[in-house]
Amino acid sequence: IGSGTKVLHAFLSCQKRYHVEGFFGIMTDTFDQCGVITGTMPYNHITRKELLDVIETRFTGSIQQVPPLYSALKRNGVRLSSLARLGIVPTLLPRDTHVHSIELT
C-alpha cells in the first residue's frame, strides 16, 4: 500500500452503504449468524408497521452506537473479536454516527 496509507482517511470517512439480512427470534453469543444460538423468542407479534416505526424513530438520523464486541475494531492493537474469543470484554464507548435512511424490503 505504501504511500496510499496517507490518503486512507479520506476513504474511511466517506458515506457507506450496507446490505443487511436479519433474523428475528434468534440470539447468538456473537450477535451474528456465526455464533452459537443462545436463545430463541417468539416474534410473530411484531408487525411491519411497528418495525418501520421503530426503525424510523430509533435508528435513523444522528445516533450513538456502541460498536459490536465481535468486530474488526482494535483495542491496544488487538481486534475486539480476538479479545472476545479469549473471554476478555473491554468497555466499549458509544460512537457518534449518522444513518441517512433504512429501507425494509
Side-chain angles (χ1 to χ4, degrees), residues 35-103:
V36 174
I37 295 176
T38 58
T40 59
M41 297 182 74
Y43 60 91
N44 57 346
H45 63 283
I46 301 171
T47 67
R48 182 178 179 86
K49 182 183 179 334
E50 290 172 328
L51 184 58
L52 288 169
D53 288 345
V54 169
I55 286 171
E56 185 178 308
T57 58
R58 293 191 54 203
F59 297 103
T60 56
S62 293
I63 62 171
Q64 287 212 310
Q65 181 184 46
V66 176
L69 183 58
Y70 286 86
S71 71
L73 294 176
K74 293 184 178 181
R75 172 71 52 92
N76 298 324
V78 180
R79 288 173 70 129
L80 292 179
S81 57
S82 298
L83 293 173
R85 287 182 176 86
L86 293 172
I88 300 169
V89 182
T91 302
L92 301 173
L93 300 175
R95 296 174 161 202
D96 292 328
T97 189
H98 188 84
V99 178
H100 295 279
S101 65
I102 296 178
E103 198 175 299

Side-chain angles (χ1 to χ4, degrees), residues 23-38:
F23 299 94
F24 289 103
I26 298 173
M27 296 172 281
T28 69
D29 60 350
T30 58
F31 306 111
D32 63 16
Q33 76 276 11
C34 297
V36 174
I37 295 176
T38 58

